[in-house]
Amino acid sequence: MSRIGRLPINIPKGVEVKLDGSYVHVKGPNGTLERTFSPEIGIRMEEGQLIIERPNDQPRVRALHGTTRALLNNMVVGVSSGFERIMEIVGVGYRAEMSGQDLILNVGYSHPVTIPAPDGISFEVETRTKQIKIKGRDKHQVGQIANDIRKIRPPEPYKGYGVRYLGEAVRRKAGKAGKMGK
């Protein structure tokens, strides 16, 4: 039995879950999320909890069991409290600023890079610490936007300049060692 798949998902107050076979609709204070899961996995609601069941022990069904539970839990957490990813900018003259809902990055190019905020995503910029907060209700979308921002100027290994996740360890290289004396 999957250790993750057999854990029930507690539904917090203010969150409404509707089940229609393998289609799940979750509504909460941060918005709504909906998804269709595999019909091989059973989802039922019982006493304010979601229970995920699998009918047999085939490898494909066993793999779907824990995945389905994790995705459902992310939906419930997303509409109730949301997800956040923090990025940091390292570099002389590198900065981020907001223009309405859009994020503008100045990261060493001849032009500023504008990133429009998709539906369900919001940006916050702390200019003093050079940090960008990406907030949203869909965990996958928050992670994808963070990855797209990182791709604009990934951290380089010599001086460490670029956009990185908060706490990300960047492997540094020594650079030129100079001529060897003979």
Side-chain angles (χ1 to χ4, degrees):
M1 191 81 178
S2 169
R3 293 182 186 190
I4 292 176
R6 68 178 171 201
L7 296 173
I9 300 169
N10 293 321
I11 301 171
K13 290 183 179 177
V15 175
E16 193 178 300
V17 179
K18 293 180 186 172
L19 297 173
D20 184 19
S22 58
Y23 173 79
V24 179
H25 179 87
V26 183
K27 183 179 180 182
N30 288 348
T32 61
L33 290 173
E34 48 193 35
R35 186 179 183 116
T36 303
F37 293 96
S38 173
E40 297 175 81
I41 301 294
I43 303 168
R44 63 183 168 88
M45 195 171 344
E46 193 175 280
E47 299 173 10
Q49 293 183 333
L50 286 172
I51 311 288
I52 293 83
E53 300 170 325
R54 67 175 190 229
N56 55 41
D57 279 344
Q58 293 178 350
R60 174 176 158 65
V61 176
R62 287 176 42 194
L64 282 173
H65 189 211
T67 302
T68 302
R69 192 259 178 213
L71 290 172
L72 262 172
N73 188 53
N74 287 343
M75 288 171 67
V76 170
V77 170
V79 298
S80 61
S81 59
F83 293 100
E84 176 180 271
R85 194 70 192 229
I86 301 174
M87 312 286 290
E88 63 182 342
I89 300 172
V90 177
V92 176
Y94 288 13
R95 68 182 188 278
E97 55 192 36
M98 295 294 295
S99 173
Q101 297 293 321
D102 298 343
L103 177 68
I104 298 175
L105 295 175
N106 293 306
V107 286
Y109 294 119
S110 62
H111 60 282
V113 179
T114 303
I115 301 154
D119 184 39
I121 296 290
S122 65
F123 298 117
E124 287 181 18
V125 175
E126 292 183 32
T127 54
R128 195 171 51 86
T129 57
K130 292 188 174 183
Q131 289 185 348
I132 305 166
K133 287 185 182 177
I134 305 159
K135 295 181 177 184
R137 63 181 171 261
D138 187 359
K139 187 175 186 177
H140 174 74
Q141 188 181 22
V142 169
Q144 186 63 50
I145 295 294
N147 189 35
D148 292 345
I149 290 172
R150 186 181 183 276
K151 280 183 185 176
I152 291 169
R153 180 67 81 178
E156 56 96 21
Y158 295 103
K159 292 190 178 183
Y161 289 0
V163 181
R164 62 178 83 170
Y165 301 114
L166 183 66
E168 177 183 0
V170 177
R171 190 165 166 239
R172 301 291 293 271
K173 293 184 179 179
K176 291 184 179 180
K179 285 188 172 182
M180 296 287 290
K182 286 188 181 182

